[in-house]
Amino acid sequence: MPANPPRLSSPLGERPRPGIVHLGLGAFFRAHGALYIEEAMRQSGGDWGIIGVSLVRPAQRDALAPQDFVYTAVELGPEDQTRRVVEIVRDVLVAREEPEAVLAAMSDAAIRIVSLTVTEKGYCHEPATGGLNRDHPDIVHDLQNPDEPRSAPGFLVRALARRRQAGLRPFTVLCCDNLPDNGRMLRGIVLELAELIDPALRSWIAEEGAFPSTMVDRIVPATKDEDIKRLAEETGMLDLSPVMHEPFRQWVIEDNFVDGDRPDLEAVGVEIVKDVAPFEHMKLRCLNGTHSSLAYLGYLAGHETIAETVADPVFADFVTHLWQQEIIPSLTPPEGVDLTAYTQALFTRYANPAIRHRTGQIAMDGSQKLPQRVLGTISENIEARRPSAGLILAVAAWMRYVGGIDEKGAAIDVRDPLADRLKQLSDGADGPDAKVEALLSVREIFPATLAADTRFTGPLKEAYAALINDGARKCAEGIAG
Ligand code: CS2
C-alpha cells in the first residue's frame, strides 16, 4: 500500500436528501438495504438518503465522517471481486452521545421510514415469546428517561410520540433483523412500551403506524483489518469502513407502508409481497438454522470459517442431512420455490472461499438466535414424529460452547447477553446430564413444554455426552453417516 494513501471521499458534489433513519448502521445493512435503496433512487428518483444511527459505539461514525460517509462495498465471488462506492449515507449519529439529535432526526417530517438492524438482542424482548422484556435495564431506563432513550424500542416510541404531538404522520418502521414475523413482533414490542407511557399514543400507533415484516438475506462477514489493507493496496485510497459481501442478495418486504410512501424497491429486484412468512421461515430455518449449527459444531471441531467447515466432507454431509431430513420437511415453501434447489444454492454460498465468515462470529448471541433458528423446527418435528437428531446435536454443541471450554481445553470467548449466567449454570452443575438440565431451565430460550419433553431432553443429553466423549466431528459423522 502507498505510504499514506489519500482518504476515500465523495466523488459527487450532490448527495441525496434524507428520507430514512436507520438504527444500527452495521456492515449488514450497509451491504444490503443501503445498496438496494441507492439503486432504487438512481433508477426512479425520490429523496431517500439515509441518516445512520449507532446506538452505543462511536466507531462507525468516527470511521465514516472523515470520508464524507461514503464507503466501498466489495462483492466477493469465488473467483473475482467487484467494487462500488456507496453514497446513500448522509450522516451518522451516535445515540448514546446525542439522543436528542437522533430524536430530532426521527421526528423530522422529511423522514418517512425508520429501518433497523440492531441484532436480535437490540429489541429488548424475550426470545422465547417475542414479548417486551419489561425488566430489561434499557427499558427500565427509557421509562424513567423518555427524552434520553437508550433502546431501539425507546427511540421508536419517543419519536412517534413527538410526531403525533407535531401533527405529523408516523414513519414506517422497517425491521430488517432475522427474527420471525419481525414486523409484527416489533409492532407488539412498540405498542406494549407505548401503552406503559400513554394509552392514547398506543392507539395512534396501532391505527396509523405500519410495521412491515421483511426477510433479508446476504452473507456479510465482519470487515477485518486485512480487508482494509488489501483494499487500500488495490485502490490507492484509504477506506476505514468498507463492507465485504457475497454476490447473492434477497429482500422480501410486506406491502405495508404508511401512505404507501417508499423507494421504488421493486425496480431493483426487491420482492414486495402480501405475506412474508413463508420466505422468512424458509430463510431462518434453512440458512440461519444451519449457519448456527455449523458455527457451534464447526468451532468445536476446530474450523475457523463456514467455508472451511463445509469443505470438510463430514460437515458437508451433515448440513445436507439437516436440510433434507430435518428442515425441508418442516416447511411450506413460498409459491414457486423449490426448496431442494434453494438449499443447494445455499451450499454453494457457504462454500465460497472468498467469504471468510468466522464460526465464532455466527456463534455470538446464541441465546437470542436458537429459538427461531433451531428450536421451533425441533418442536414441530417432534410433534410430527420427524427426525431431529442433527438439530438436537446442534443445541448440545451450543450448550458445550457456552460452557466456555473447547475440545482442546482452551477458553472460548463466549459473547452473549446471557453469557455469565449460562456459564454459571453450566459450571454449577455436576456431570453432563445436570449441565443440560441446568441450561434447559433458562426460560428466555427454552419454552417450558419443550424443556420438559423427554423426546427432546433424552436425545439432547445423549448428544451432549457424546460431544464430550467423541468430539463434534465424530458426532456429526454419526448423524449423516
Ligand atoms: C448469520 C447471519 O451471524 C449470523 O448469525 O447467520 O448474519 C447471516 O449471515 C445472514 O442472516 C445472511 O442473510
Side-chain angles (χ1 to χ4, degrees):
M1 145 161 102
N4 270 316
R7 196 67 179 267
L8 179 72
S9 60
S10 174
L12 295 178
E14 210 181 307
R15 304 282 296 280
R17 279 206 293 269
I20 297 176
V21 169
H22 183 81
L23 304 184
L25 191 78
F28 178 77
F29 182 76
R30 293 194 298 122
H32 183 265
L35 303 191
Y36 277 111
I37 292 164
E38 184 169 87
E39 288 165 29
M41 269 184 58
R42 284 218 182 110
Q43 191 124 333
S44 312
D47 289 327
W48 296 106
I50 297 168
I51 297 177
V53 175
S54 295
L55 285 177
V56 183
R57 284 187 298 274
Q60 197 64 253
R61 177 206 51 205
D62 295 350
L64 287 173
Q67 51 191 60
D68 300 331
F69 304 103
V70 301
Y71 61 92
T72 319
V74 184
E75 180 172 305
L76 298 168
E79 266 118 44
D80 41 23
Q81 61 167 45
T82 53
R83 289 188 295 267
R84 141 174 180 193
V85 173
V86 185
E87 299 189 60
I88 188 89
V89 177
R90 297 296 322 276
D91 198 359
V92 180
L93 304 171
V94 180
R96 202 52 73 86
E97 289 176 15
E98 38 180 356
E100 184 51 41
V102 174
L103 287 174
M106 293 169 78
S107 317
D108 185 330
I111 298 300
R112 285 144 295 147
I113 295 176
V114 173
S115 49
L116 300 93
T117 44
V118 293
T119 80
E120 294 85 348
K121 62 177 177 284
Y123 293 93
C124 308
H125 70 301
E126 302 276 3
T129 62
L132 178 72
N133 173 4
R134 294 184 187 193
D135 298 326
H136 191 292
D138 289 350
I139 296 299
V140 173
H141 171 277
D142 291 359
L143 284 168
Q144 281 161 4
N145 307 277
D147 278 311
E148 287 185 359
R150 283 190 174 166
S151 70
F155 274 102
L156 291 171
V157 168
R158 198 61 191 161
L160 285 165
R162 288 194 183 184
R163 292 177 81 99
R164 176 168 170 257
Q165 244 159 20
L168 294 175
R169 300 286 290 143
F171 42 69
T172 295
V173 180
L174 189 64
C175 178
C176 300
D177 276 295
N178 291 310
L179 288 158
D181 288 334
N182 55 9
R184 208 164 52 98
M185 192 204 78
L186 181 51
R187 179 176 187 270
I189 291 168
V190 165
L191 293 183
E192 207 176 323
L193 186 58
E195 172 84 32
L196 295 174
I197 295 166
D198 172 5
L201 173 64
R202 181 203 183 278
S203 308
W204 181 74
I205 299 173
E207 276 154 34
E208 307 290 333
F211 296 76
S213 284
T214 67
M215 181 270 248
V216 293
D217 190 8
R218 172 164 263 181
I219 293 176
V220 185
T223 302
K224 303 167 194 68
D225 287 346
E226 69 227 41
D227 299 322
I228 293 176
K229 211 169 139 226
R230 202 185 53 232
L231 185 63
E233 276 162 9
E234 287 165 6
T235 62
M237 303 280 275
L238 182 62
D239 178 348
L240 283 185
S241 200
V243 288
M244 309 285 137
H245 62 80
E246 64 169 340
F248 181 89
R249 66 177 184 177
Q250 190 174 13
W251 199 3
V252 187
I253 308 179
E254 183 188 330
D255 191 3
N256 173 24
F257 284 75
V258 174
D259 304 326
D261 203 4
R262 59 173 170 80
D264 186 10
L265 293 165
E266 291 105 316
V268 293
V270 176
E271 294 154 80
I272 306 283
V273 303
K274 245 192 139 109
D275 182 13
V276 176
F279 293 94
E280 212 177 74
H281 288 152
M282 169 180 82
K283 193 259 171 170
L284 272 173
R285 291 185 176 189
C286 291
L287 194 159
N288 299 108
T290 59
H291 237 187
S292 289
S293 303
L294 291 170
Y296 296 117
L297 288 160
Y299 184 97
L300 292 174
H303 292 310
E304 203 192 330
T305 65
I306 290 293
E308 239 177 60
T309 309
V310 298
D312 178 339
V314 163
F315 287 103
D317 288 348
F318 175 75
V319 72
T320 307
H321 163 94
L322 286 186
W323 283 320
Q324 287 178 352
Q325 308 298 323
E326 304 190 18
I327 298 176
I328 292 179
S330 80
L331 290 168
T332 308
E335 217 183 293
V337 175
D338 171 350
L339 290 175
T340 300
Y342 178 79
T343 54
Q344 279 163 351
L346 256 179
F347 188 86
T348 309
R349 292 169 63 193
Y350 286 178
N352 179 351
I355 294 287
R356 295 194 48 76
H357 205 180
R358 291 175 37 250
T359 45
Q361 187 194 341
I362 299 163
M364 265 171 53
D365 295 342
S367 67
Q368 316 291 302
K369 293 174 174 174
L370 281 188
Q372 64 274 14
R373 293 184 175 204
V374 175
L375 300 181
T377 320
I378 293 176
S379 300
E380 288 177 23
N381 283 355
I382 288 176
E383 286 315 320
R385 300 180 187 283
R386 286 189 299 259
S388 295
L391 291 171
I392 291 178
L393 176 65
V395 178
W398 169 79
M399 290 186 158
R400 176 103 161 98
Y401 186 90
V402 298
I405 307 287
D406 74 12
E407 290 181 1
K408 297 205 174 80
I412 303 174
D413 177 17
V414 179
R415 303 202 185 176
D416 191 296
L418 303 186
D420 291 346
R421 194 164 129 217
L422 297 171
K423 177 137 181 61
Q424 272 164 16
L425 283 167
S426 178
D427 286 353
D430 212 9
D433 282 5
K435 286 185 195 297
V436 171
E437 290 284 356
L439 290 167
L440 280 172
S441 74
V442 182
R443 270 308 147 263
E444 293 97 314
I445 307 173
F446 298 99
T449 40
L450 185 63
D453 191 330
T454 52
R455 294 172 297 177
F456 173 55
T457 58
L460 181 62
K461 286 176 184 165
E462 277 169 32
Y464 186 87
L467 273 177
I468 308 270
N469 291 332
D470 304 332
R473 192 168 187 276
K474 192 130 191 271
C475 289
E477 196 169 20
I479 300 277

